[in-house]
Amino acid sequence: MAGVNDSAPIAQNPDIRFLGRLLGDVIRHYGGDALYARTEAIRSASVERHRGSDRPLGAGLEALSLDETLAFVRGFMLFSMLANLAEDRQGIAAEPGADVPQALARLRAAGVDDAAVTQLLDEALITPVLTAHPTEVRRKSMIDHRNRISELMQLRDRGLAETAEGDPIEAAIARQIALLWQTRPLRRERLFVADEVDTVRDYVADVFLPTLPALYARWERALGKRPPAFLKLGSWVGGDRDGNPYVTAETLHMAFARGAETVLGHYLEGVHALGAELSVSTELAPVTPQLAALADASGDDAPARADEPYRRALSGIYARLAATYAELVGRAPPRSSPITAPRYPDCEALRADLKALAKSLGADGGVLASGGALGRLIRAVELFGFQGSTLDLRQNSAVHERVVGELLRAAGIEAGYAALDEAARVALLRRELASPRLLATPLADYSAETESELAILRAAAAAHARYGRRAITTYIVSMAKSVSDLLEVQLLLKEAGLYRPGEPPAIMAVPLFETIDDLAAAPAIMRDWLALGETADWARQRGRQEVMLGYSDSNKDGGYLTSVWSLHRASEALRDVFAAARVPMQLFHGRGGAVGRGGGSSFAAILGQPPGTVQGRIRITEQGEVIAGKYGTRESAATNLEAIAAATLLASLDPAAPAPAEAARFGAAMDALSARAFDAYRALVYADPGFRAFFRQVTPIAEIATLKIGSRPASRTRSDAIEDLRAIPWVFSWAQARVMLPGWYGIGTALAGGDHGLLAEMARAWPFLRATLGNLEMVLAKSDMAIAARYVALAEDQAAAQTIFGRIRDEWQRTRDALLRITGQAGLLEHSPALAQSIRLRLPYIEPLNLLQIELLKRHRGGEDDPRIAEGIQLSINAIATALRNSG
């Protein structure tokens, strides 16, 4: 908006000033001078308030009509989106030392030689796993326009005046902002699984396919040798059935077919481009016998290419890829081949042909030996295979119990499986796993649930046959509480031929430990699991056993501090269990976007893992709006993928860690802090009888449920209990009301009772606590008790609400004061000036949105049925989430 350059933080970023001016011009042109003037008056009043003025906001907001309110909210939302873009371009998201070259330099300085790095990478696996968890409020069309602006800004950086098409750069950017202004921000229809699959496919095509091979080329230069494919993409979209009845065998088939369409289309384009590039003639350069044989077998006998073996070989590769595309996608590729050829049986066969080209080109050691487009294509095939991303299956353990019980009953083996104790269940399941006999029979009349689960598993087996074993490697068992929960999955996998007695399972059953009690029980469960003998053998044959740790539900269960400490303690204990069993361990961290769901810096979080728990292997979920924030552009994706890779190297090899005695002292202090924080959190959230009504009345939880932002329902059941609410809307709604309660409540009480000198020492010396307090500080800076107090006015019982809010406000103050004392700061984020500037920039744009949201909520809940009110609430939710960035 014009006028934003009055604010000092805005003026410090020239991109924000430039984009804000263009947005102001668009609002004035399309919305009119009156809307522009009112918007600018509210904006300037809010900026002045955040500079210390007592200038009121209310009058300007109250003067807005409903139509103007909708336009105003859209304008502030777009400014926040453009500000996010500008900050990303200025490197606000990049953290010091968070790239592979700097990590290698740090390791070398610590005495870690390159041989140790090479050995680690040979066994390493780093996987960001994209999920469809619903906190991304923006439509894909909005994100696409934002990304086009990013591309145009890069052209502007290079000093170009025009695009390749001849459009003036500034006019092209203004055009994209105008398109944003005139694009409907909200989805009108519920999001389906197919939509979520397509979103992932777009990210793979637009971002990951071009970005990852280029990153590997950079890492190769830093390492001085070609690294293995240690960082790959994963996904849950199309395979995550936990609480989502819309994920079926059909969606699984669709996810793979669309993934194949994306990557095979990319490979076809790459091979076609190489055919134009590799014009090498045998009259001028020799070729290897393997390349000559590949050319002769290609079926390309055009006289014009008789002396061009690379082109002939590529013709044959293209023909085989086209046949593969037709088989896996179900239709011919956009550009067909005149050559009839058999499909590739797997991606390794394609890679072998491409490697034959590379080996021949590099035979003389000249400049053609370097990677180039061919090297990037080979790397893409290694990383993405024929399916795009490796897909996990996920389902709740209670479903497996019912399905296995029904199969055993129908087969006449055990009529009362659910009534058996754990020992009897384990014994029965092990007997069945050792037998080649299948349980399912076409003669039985199974429930719809059992039929659906069996169909999913058969679809998984079909995916293995069509796309290779990399297509699905993991089956996540949600709410895992026993060894039998894992054996049940193995038995179901056996029904689809994905486990055969005496062989390692084709798909690994992975427990997900989610609540505080589950995390405490995890080491004992995994000790019993590995003690069975055959299960430890499976893990060794596969190379490792994975365990997933849940951040979201553990936070909702016990609060932020107890959650992160329980996760830390569980990781340490699991490390020792696996070491005793001599089985390699791999942890999968189920983190969300907001701090209340394990969010925050991935770089700091990985560095804060307990020693010996990473060892080059880590998987991390990427959810909701975080996907667009981290991977919305190739530049931001490269920054964040670099950070994950660098942190994994450092966490695995950097010898800097607290000494055992120091670690024990720090751990004991954290045990006491966690216990106090847990008691304080539970006393409010679960013990206070009025809290449930307070939460549902002072936050927009009910209105969030109406947003068309995901295919899953907001609650697991029809109950309104906190226990049954999904963690995502729980955190999301507190962020909207600017309370951010899941990210800090209980910590003030815990810290106030601790030894502040010891805590200050821990904060300086311990990466775990440093990361924990850094996330806490960010949440406190984004929360606002004055605005939260306005939401409290929405409660029906004001006396009860004010009492509860008084507890919340007092705890916030205790938390802030204790944090500043421990970190030696006069104000929040004093030691993080870039983040402080980022948040200061946003606050003047969030407060008016909050005030408008509160007014609209009052009118909506008061019975006004003007559809513009409901639309305004949804728009405000969208705008606030955009401004806060990591809100869910």
Side-chain angles (χ1 to χ4, degrees), residues 685 688-697 719-723 804:
V685 175
D688 191 311
F691 182 81
R692 183 191 306 180
F694 174 85
F695 162 65
R696 293 199 172 269
Q697 291 172 15
S719 162
D720 69 347
I722 303 298
E723 294 89 336
I804 291 175

Side-chain angles (χ1 to χ4, degrees), residues 766-783:
W766 195 11
F768 163 77
L769 188 58
R770 194 158 56 241
T772 299
L773 295 181
N775 289 334
L776 169 66
E777 189 173 9
M778 177 182 68
V779 170
L780 292 175
K782 289 185 177 182
S783 60

